[in-house]
Amino acid sequence: MGIKILKGFILGLIANAIGTYLYVVVFTAYEFEDAIRSGYQEGFLGKLIVLGAVFNLVLFFFFLTGKLGNFIKPIQHYEARGVLMATIVAAIAGFIFNFMV
């Protein structure tokens, strides 16, 4: 059980990183490294992290329903819990970077 939650948590963090990267590449004119540096200096790094967490939504519902297009697998409740925990960590990190730093 704990390993499954950890698997979901790690996959949630990876999905968040991929979502942040895709957002920066597709919707901004910055390079990824420049966007992270500018985000930290100008105070919008928290917003980038939270926007990247939107990608966790797909992963969360994939684990709960077991379906992604024609790909079907058994429902994985514990992995979905891990993804939810990673999303909460991303929200807390976004809050900290927006209001504390």
Side-chain angles (χ1 to χ4, degrees):
M1 175 177 82
I3 298 295
K4 291 181 179 183
I5 293 174
L6 181 64
K7 174 186 165 187
F9 183 76
I10 291 171
L11 287 173
L13 292 177
I14 291 170
N16 194 349
I18 291 171
T20 303
Y21 178 78
L22 288 176
Y23 175 77
V24 168
V25 169
V26 173
F27 294 110
T28 66
Y30 292 110
E31 293 292 324
F32 183 71
E33 295 84 13
D34 295 334
I36 298 299
R37 190 176 304 112
S38 297
Y40 182 74
Q41 291 172 350
E42 297 175 19
F44 63 88
L45 182 60
K47 293 175 179 68
L48 287 177
I49 293 171
V50 173
L51 283 170
V54 172
F55 207 62
N56 285 352
L57 189 65
V58 174
L59 188 61
F60 178 74
F61 281 112
F62 172 70
F63 283 136
L64 281 184
T65 62
K67 299 178 198 169
L68 186 63
N70 292 332
F71 184 74
I72 299 173
K73 64 184 293 183
I75 297 172
Q76 300 171 328
H77 295 286
Y78 292 113
E79 285 85 351
R81 288 181 190 180
V83 172
L84 184 62
M85 289 170 49
T87 306
I88 291 170
V89 167
I92 292 170
F95 178 79
I96 288 171
F97 279 113
N98 273 337
F99 297 110
M100 303 285 185
V101 176

